[in-house]
């Protein structure tokens, strides 16, 4: 068996054969890709490894020869139930010239694959990316006990070395925020479970038993996440932080975090992304940009903005940018010049470029869903089934919507007894009702995922129900209809409630992150507008429309944002919404509004409310946990592929030519104003108010495809009826439903009946407006208005 073309991880023995006379090294060519590697053999646990490698050596050199252990690699491998350790043992065999010459006539599996490499050629093979792993040079140095000239391979921080032993443990995974790179991974949303999948399904699958990833393996993978293959060498070089011509797992992870479409472009993450970007466009690797290299950046920036990319326009913008940076095109640009220009907004749009075509989370999910299809990776490894799959299958509808086909039904684990008043009581496990369940039923297999979900919904000990129980207690002891009365916690322990709410926020954040930015829902759906801390109206809607809880309602729920600020019970509103989202993630859908932004809340009341009710330290923790969840919320939704829903309004066509572009919005948006212009417009835009149209505004609308600066908000745009009609027609939609503006009747029909504004908080800011919601069902948009007292 030449090389290491094994079907999966296993213990492997390799042989490094070294000629002591001329300092040459014997390597073999692997069948698949002509990488240079060592003769290797699979090692079963029930055989003597020393005898096995001795037999392999005899087959190559034609006689028995003494071998010694050169390096032992102990490699961690995550399993489904327990973690496994695999070993790669490298043995050394020294030979003289006559023995070396015999190997050239070796028959059997190594025939025609043996290459003797002089010491002077090793570096050349490394730099031409012809070695399977740069560790071959480390092993060569161990063999000769001398360092190679012009070679300095620093060991990565994710490997533990002790003399001739190298260990890779579960500490290879990254968590925390202590270092800049940890903050980068945090900003990408690549948690430890995803890291395990990257390590297991990509790194190990492509590299094992090598401990580094070479260019060939990297190129195979990177093209599958949306990068053109010709760009792979430049991407590999910028990912290779140590310039060793091989990536450790963490170096691969840091690179994937930097280019992931979900990674936020702010703070430390933005700086590291820009540093990677600089290395990527530095095509000649001299640590400065010349004019031609700088043009590549300008070209990609123009592509992201959908501007013309002909040579004339690229040269023109390049020269304008040089001028803005106060340098000439004959000067070079170093990394600090680039960082300064981005910081000073002399170069704009870097948040939108240098991104993979699909996120690594989606890639891994797709790989798990399509494991029966051919793939470059080891298809024997299947990811855990995500919520929403049936028998491991997720079907694609013609519009790209994730829909379940041929759903297998099963009996629920719990029964729900309902009072005449409509309240749900006496939640019992099915098996407890002996008179209704046969003995054979109890022996039927139960879907464990659905059982856990059912327990989360109905078990009063679940963290979501603890929060809901506390919330309902608070709403009975406080006058939630009078915001001027003092607030009391009664017998409820505030720290316990806060800790539970933080836990709910953290769990819901992961649900949001795995949802598309554009939800695709099916009717019937209740669509709710702004709530702004009005828990009284929220509970009123509950009693009227889904009185036994969202999980048992036949309708889906869609909330259009602005859950917090201005009202006095924002904590209660998010406690309700996030707890039910955790319990029924496919029934309760939450979009982000313009008040789910930290800077906005600091100007209004949510932050103050958290600190006032919970104290500054605990209140700030709750506020941060809630906003971390807000950062990952979807931005828009469709109902039956015909009704478009968002908080603000129609986006301009230069940002959103078709609504599928919304799914390209980064998943973690801690600073949406800097990270995604499209998300910002969807959260802030308003329809034109006909009474405000004058000649100047009419000209601006005409010149900008029906869009004009939103002077009332001080940000984003207003849009005309013509712009709305063009947006609806381009996407085969019939109506747009949005929130964002108070409506006296709780709703307002605008722009030739194609636009509906819904507002679900009555008596907003002391006014006398009504509250309403919209029911989308059977081709009708029905307005349901709340009777206000």
């Amino acid at each position: 068996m030449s090389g290491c073309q094994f079907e999966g991880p296993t213990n492997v023995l390799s042989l490094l054969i070294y000629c002591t006379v001329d300092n040459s090294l014997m390597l073999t060519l692997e069948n698949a890709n002509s990488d240079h590697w060592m003769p290797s053999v699979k090692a079963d646990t029930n055989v003597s490894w020393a005898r096995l490698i001795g037999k392999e050596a005899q087959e190559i050199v034609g006689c028995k020869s003494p071998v010694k252990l050169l390096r032992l690699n102990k490699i961690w491998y995550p399993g489904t139930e327990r973690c496994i350790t695999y070993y790669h043992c490298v043995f050394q065999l020294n030979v003289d010239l006559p023995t070396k010459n015999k190997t050239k006539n070796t028959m059997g599996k190594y025939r025609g694959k043996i290459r003797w490499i002089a010491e002077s050629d090793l570096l050349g093979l490394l730099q031409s990316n012809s070695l399977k792993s740069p560790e071959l040079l480390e092993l060569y140095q161990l063999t000769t006990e001398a360092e190679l000239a012009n070679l300095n391979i620093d060991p990565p921080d994710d490997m533990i070395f002790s003399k001739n032993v190298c260990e890779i443990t579960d500490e290879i995974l990254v968590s925390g925020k202590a270092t800049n790179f940890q903050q980068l991974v945090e900003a990408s949303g690549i948690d430890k479970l995803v890291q395990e999948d990257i390590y297991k399904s990509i790194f190990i699958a492509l590299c094992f038993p090598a401990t580094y990833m070479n260019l060939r393996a990297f190129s195979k993978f990177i093209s599958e996440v949306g990068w053109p293959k010709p760009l792979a060498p430049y991407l590999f070089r910028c990912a290779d932080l140590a310039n060793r011509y091989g990536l450790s797992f963490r170096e691969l992870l840091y690179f994937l975090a930097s280019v992931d479409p979900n990674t936020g472009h702010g703070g430390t993450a933005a700086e590291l992304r820009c540093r990677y970007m600089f290395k990527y466009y530095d095509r000649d690797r001299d640590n400065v940009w010349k004019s031609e290299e700088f043009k590549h950046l300008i070209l990609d920036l123009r592509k992201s903005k959908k501007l013309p990319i002909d040579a004339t326009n690229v040269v023109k913008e390049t020269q304008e940018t040089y001028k803005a940076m106060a340098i000439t095109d004959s000067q070079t640009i170093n990394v600090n010049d680039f960082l300064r220009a981005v910081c000073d907004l002399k170069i704009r749009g870097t948040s939108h470029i240098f991104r993979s075509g699909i996120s690594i989370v989606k890639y891994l999910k797709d790989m798990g869903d399509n494991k029966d299809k051919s793939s470059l990776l080891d298809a024997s490894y299947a990811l855990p089934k995500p919520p929403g799959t049936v028998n491991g299958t997720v079907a694609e509808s013609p519009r790209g919507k994730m829909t379940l086909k041929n759903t297998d039904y099963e009996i629920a684990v719990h029964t729900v007894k309902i009072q005449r008043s409509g309240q749900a009581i006496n939640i019992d496990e099915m098996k407890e009702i002996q008179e209704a369940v046969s003995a054979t039923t109890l022996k039927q297999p139960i879907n464990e995922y659905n059982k856990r979900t059912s327990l989360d919904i109905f078990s009063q000990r679940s963290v979501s129900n603890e929060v809901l129980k506390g919330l309902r207690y608070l709403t009975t002891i406080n006058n939630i209809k009078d915001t001027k009365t003092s607030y009391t916690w009664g017998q409820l322990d505030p720290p316990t409630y806060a800790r539970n709410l933080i836990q709910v926020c953290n769990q819901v954040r992961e649900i949001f992150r795995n949802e598309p930015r554009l939800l695709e829902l099916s009717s019937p759906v209740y669509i709710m507008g702004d709530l702004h801390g009005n828990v009284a109206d929220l509970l009123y809607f509950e009693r009227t429309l889904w009185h036994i809880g969202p999980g048992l309602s036949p309708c889906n729920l869609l909330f259009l944002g602005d859950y917090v600020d201005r009202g006095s019970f924002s904590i209660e509103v998010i406690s309700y919404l996030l707890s039910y989202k955790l319990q029924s993630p496919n029934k309760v859908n939450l979009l982000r509004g313009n008040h789910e932004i930290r800077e906005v809340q600091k100007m209004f009341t949510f932050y103050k409310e958290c600190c006032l009710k919970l104290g500054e330290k605990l209140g700030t923790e709750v506020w941060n946990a809630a906003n971390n969840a807000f950062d990952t919320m979807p931005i828009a939704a469709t109902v039956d592929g015909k009704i478009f829903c968002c908080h603000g309004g129609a986006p301009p066509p230069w940002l959103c030519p078709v609504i599928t572009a919304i799914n390209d919005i980064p998943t973690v948006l801690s600073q949406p104003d800097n990270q995604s212009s499209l998300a910002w417009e969807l959260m802030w835009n308003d329809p034109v108010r006909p009474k405000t149209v004058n000649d100047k505004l009419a000209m601006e609308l005409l010149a900008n495809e029906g869009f004009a600066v939103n002077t009332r908000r001080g940000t984003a745009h207003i849009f005309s009826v013509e712009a709305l009609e063009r947006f609806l027609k381009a996407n085969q939609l019939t109506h747009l439903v949005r929130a964002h503006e108070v409506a006296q009747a709780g709703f307002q029909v605008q722009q030739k009946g194609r636009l509906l504004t819904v507002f679900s908080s009555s008596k907003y800011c002391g006014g006398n407006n009504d509250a309403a919601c919209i029911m989308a069902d059977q081709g009708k948009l029905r307005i349901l208005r709340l009777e206000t007292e």
Side-chain angles (χ1 to χ4, degrees):
M1 181 180 295
S2 175
C4 59
Q5 301 303 303
F6 309 123
E7 294 180 355
T10 180
N11 295 320
V12 174
L13 310 179
S14 294
L15 190 62
L16 195 78
I17 303 178
Y18 170 66
C19 179
T20 56
V21 180
D22 59 6
N23 296 331
S24 59
L25 196 65
M26 196 203 88
L27 298 178
T28 59
L29 290 177
E30 291 193 337
N31 291 327
N33 49 32
S34 298
D35 282 335
H36 289 76
W37 188 237
M38 300 169 283
S40 301
V41 63
K42 178 180 177 180
D44 294 324
T45 54
N46 58 347
V47 300
S48 166
W49 291 0
R51 289 179 180 175
L52 186 60
I53 198 66
K55 182 181 178 182
E56 198 76 5
Q58 184 174 355
E59 184 176 338
I60 296 171
V61 300
C63 60
K64 286 187 176 182
S65 303
V67 298
K68 67 176 182 178
L69 184 64
L70 180 66
R71 164 72 63 81
L72 176 64
N73 290 339
K74 180 183 175 185
I75 301 171
W76 168 71
Y77 186 80
T80 53
E81 296 181 357
R82 63 184 182 87
C83 293
I84 307 165
T85 297
Y86 290 108
Y87 294 93
H88 177 211
C89 299
V90 182
F91 292 86
Q92 176 184 344
L93 171 61
N94 293 341
V95 297
D96 54 19
L97 275 176
T99 306
K100 171 184 173 179
N101 292 329
K102 285 182 184 179
T103 63
K104 296 177 182 179
N105 299 316
T106 296
M107 304 299 287
K109 61 190 175 186
Y110 293 110
R111 182 181 181 183
K113 297 175 182 176
I114 288 177
R115 301 289 187 273
W116 281 93
I117 308 299
E119 179 181 300
S120 58
D121 295 330
L122 268 177
L123 276 176
L125 287 177
L126 177 72
Q127 292 166 354
S128 63
N129 297 293
S130 296
L131 298 182
K132 181 174 177 67
S133 171
E135 68 197 87
L136 283 171
L137 282 87
E138 297 175 350
L139 296 170
Y140 182 80
Q141 290 184 151
L142 278 176
T143 301
T144 60
E145 298 181 353
E147 291 190 3
L148 286 172
N150 303 317
L151 177 67
N152 182 21
I153 299 180
D154 294 323
D157 59 2
D158 45 352
M159 300 180 194
I160 303 167
F161 289 89
S162 176
K163 294 186 178 179
N164 287 19
V165 176
C166 170
E167 290 185 284
I168 297 176
T169 70
D170 60 354
E171 294 178 1
I172 198 172
L173 305 180
V174 173
S175 62
K177 300 180 181 179
T179 70
N180 289 347
F181 284 104
Q182 287 174 341
Q183 292 174 42
L184 174 66
V185 175
E186 172 76 14
S188 72
I190 301 176
D191 60 23
K192 280 195 170 183
L193 287 176
V194 177
Q195 291 178 43
E196 276 194 16
D197 291 336
I198 296 170
Y199 174 71
K200 185 176 182 178
S201 303
I202 298 171
F203 192 81
I204 292 290
L206 285 172
C207 306
F208 186 84
T211 53
Y212 298 99
M213 175 178 278
N214 71 357
L215 173 61
R216 285 192 179 90
F218 178 84
S219 299
K220 289 178 183 177
F221 158 66
I222 207 67
S223 64
E224 292 210 347
V225 291
W227 291 93
K229 273 196 172 181
L231 297 179
Y234 306 122
L235 295 166
F236 182 77
R237 288 206 304 249
C238 79
D240 185 14
L241 299 175
N243 296 317
R244 68 167 71 87
Y245 298 89
L247 309 181
S248 71
F249 168 73
R250 281 193 184 169
E251 287 165 344
L252 176 66
L253 173 65
Y254 297 151
F255 169 77
L256 292 178
S258 73
V259 299
D260 198 274
N262 296 332
T263 301
H265 193 78
T268 301
E271 180 183 340
L272 284 177
R273 269 183 38 80
C274 286
R275 289 186 180 276
Y276 274 109
M277 212 177 293
F278 185 86
K279 288 190 71 176
Y280 171 66
Y281 290 106
D282 179 19
R283 300 295 161 88
D284 59 5
R285 306 178 73 177
D286 62 352
N287 298 319
V288 292
W289 283 349
K290 302 177 184 67
S291 178
E292 285 304 311
E293 291 169 323
F294 192 40
K295 284 178 186 175
H296 285 293
L297 171 72
I298 300 299
L299 178 68
D300 286 348
L301 288 171
R302 292 185 67 85
K303 281 181 183 177
S304 71
K305 298 171 186 175
K306 297 182 172 59
L307 297 174
I309 56 173
D310 57 282
T312 303
N313 278 294
V314 171
V315 169
K316 181 181 178 183
E317 184 169 344
T318 303
Q319 292 172 344
E320 290 172 351
T321 309
Y322 271 120
K323 187 176 180 181
M325 295 172 64
I327 60 176
T328 66
D329 57 5
S330 61
Q331 292 178 264
T332 58
I333 299 172
N334 61 36
V335 66
N336 291 326
D337 295 331
F338 174 51
L339 292 173
R340 194 178 306 112
V342 172
C343 185
D344 294 342
L345 303 181
K346 303 292 175 52
I347 297 176
R348 294 172 177 264
T350 51
S351 63
H352 300 295
I353 63 171
F354 196 60
R355 302 276 191 183
S356 297
I358 62 172
S359 72
I360 189 62
V361 173
K362 185 177 187 305
Y363 172 76
L364 289 166
K365 179 181 178 300
D366 291 345
M367 187 173 70
D369 290 342
N370 300 298
K371 64 180 183 292
D372 56 324
K373 298 179 182 178
S374 60
S375 170
L376 70 92
L377 300 180
D378 179 15
S380 64
Y381 170 61
L383 293 174
K385 296 177 184 177
T389 61
V390 176
N391 297 330
T393 301
V394 178
E396 285 286 322
S397 73
R399 292 183 59 84
K401 177 181 175 183
M402 303 298 280
T403 58
L404 301 180
K405 293 187 176 181
N406 302 319
T407 302
D408 293 332
Y409 276 82
E410 60 184 25
I411 298 175
V413 179
H414 291 86
T415 68
V416 183
K417 199 169 186 178
I418 301 171
Q419 291 178 323
R420 293 182 184 275
S421 63
Q423 293 297 312
I425 59 169
N426 294 348
I427 309 300
D428 296 311
E429 282 202 55
M430 182 79 71
K431 64 184 180 182
E432 299 297 328
I433 311 174
Q434 297 296 331
E435 66 271 21
V437 182
S438 69
T440 55
T441 302
L442 300 180
K443 298 177 181 178
Q444 297 299 309
I446 294 175
N447 182 309
E448 286 300 320
Y449 171 77
N450 289 343
K451 181 179 179 181
R452 288 195 302 273
T453 303
S454 185
L455 287 170
D456 286 342
I457 295 174
F458 296 118
S459 171
Q460 294 305 307
R461 293 186 298 275
S462 72
V463 65
S464 56
N465 273 323
E466 286 291 340
V467 171
L468 289 168
K469 187 165 58 176
L471 160 68
R472 297 192 187 281
Y473 172 72
L474 291 173
T475 58
T476 58
I477 65 173
N478 288 285
N479 188 350
I480 56 176
K481 295 180 181 179
D482 183 2
T483 60
K484 296 180 181 179
T485 57
S486 59
Y487 190 85
T488 178
W489 286 91
Q491 298 180 358
L492 196 65
D493 180 46
T496 300
Y497 185 88
R499 284 194 296 270
N500 286 336
L501 180 54
I502 289 170
Q503 191 174 343
V504 167
C505 291
N506 293 339
Q507 292 180 30
V508 168
R509 181 174 188 259
E510 297 309 309
I511 294 174
F512 287 146
R513 277 172 49 175
N514 289 315
E515 291 180 330
R517 302 301 83 193
L518 175 67
L519 300 175
E520 299 190 32
L521 309 178
S522 298
S523 61
V525 182
Y526 290 130
I527 305 173
M528 309 288 297
D530 294 33
L531 288 168
H532 280 300
N534 190 337
V535 74
D537 281 0
L538 175 59
L539 294 177
Y540 204 161
F541 277 112
E542 177 193 61
R543 289 194 296 274
T544 307
L545 302 178
W546 58 87
H547 53 275
I548 54 175
L552 298 175
S553 169
C555 279
N556 293 315
L557 305 183
L558 174 62
F559 295 84
L560 300 183
D562 278 14
Y563 314 111
V564 301
D565 282 338
R566 291 198 168 107
S568 298
F569 298 94
S570 295
I571 290 177
E572 287 76 3
V573 168
I574 65 164
S575 295
Y576 182 99
L577 295 177
L578 298 184
S579 293
Y580 277 123
K581 176 66 179 178
L582 181 59
Q583 291 187 359
S584 303
N586 296 323
K587 295 292 290 289
V588 178
N589 300 280
L590 305 174
L591 303 184
R592 191 174 186 178
N594 66 302
H595 278 263
E596 280 68 65
I597 297 173
R598 292 170 178 80
E599 291 76 11
V600 175
Q601 295 160 19
K602 285 289 186 76
M603 293 188 289
F604 290 92
T605 62
F606 181 44
Y607 178 73
K608 295 174 186 175
E609 178 187 335
C610 290
C611 294
L612 182 66
K613 292 181 179 178
L614 293 164
E616 186 171 352
K617 183 177 184 298
L618 197 55
T620 301
E621 290 178 13
V622 168
W623 181 75
N624 279 323
N627 276 286
N628 287 339
F630 296 160
D631 289 345
T632 60
M633 277 181 170
I635 307 298
T638 60
V639 178
D640 295 337
K642 291 297 181 182
I643 312 301
F644 183 79
C645 305
C646 64
H647 181 74
W654 59 86
L655 293 176
C656 187
V658 289
I659 57 174
T660 52
I662 295 170
N663 280 324
D664 294 330
I665 293 173
T667 297
V668 181
L669 283 180
S670 55
Q671 294 179 313
D673 53 333
N674 294 326
Q675 293 172 259
S676 174
S677 299
L678 176 53
W680 191 256
E681 301 273 332
L682 289 165
M683 290 190 285
W684 283 92
N685 282 1
D686 291 308
V688 169
R689 295 182 175 185
K691 293 181 180 180
T692 65
V693 178
N694 53 31
D695 291 344
K696 181 180 178 183
L697 178 56
M699 288 297 294
E700 186 179 355
L701 292 168
L702 187 63
N704 292 283
E705 301 182 73
F707 288 82
V709 173
N710 195 335
T711 55
R712 184 166 67 93
R713 303 275 185 190
T715 188
H717 290 88
I718 54 176
F719 55 93
S720 67
V721 62
E722 293 80 14
L724 175 65
E725 288 179 329
R726 189 161 48 245
F727 171 76
L728 296 175
K729 183 177 180 181
N731 294 284
Q732 300 179 345
L733 301 163
T734 62
H735 294 81
L736 190 153
V737 177
R738 44 92 69 169
H740 198 38
E741 290 183 291
V742 64
Q744 186 61 35
F747 74 99
Q748 189 172 9
V749 181
Q750 301 158 274
Q751 297 197 334
K752 296 182 180 181
R754 296 297 185 185
L755 177 72
L756 279 81
T757 296
V758 59
F759 203 82
S760 301
S761 177
S762 64
K763 298 182 179 179
Y764 177 63
C765 290
N768 61 354
N769 67 288
D770 289 343
C773 82
I774 295 171
M775 183 177 73
D777 186 29
Q778 298 182 10
K780 295 283 188 183
L781 291 171
R782 299 189 185 277
I783 312 298
L784 307 177
R785 298 172 67 192
L786 191 70
E787 181 187 11
T788 54
E789 297 174 353

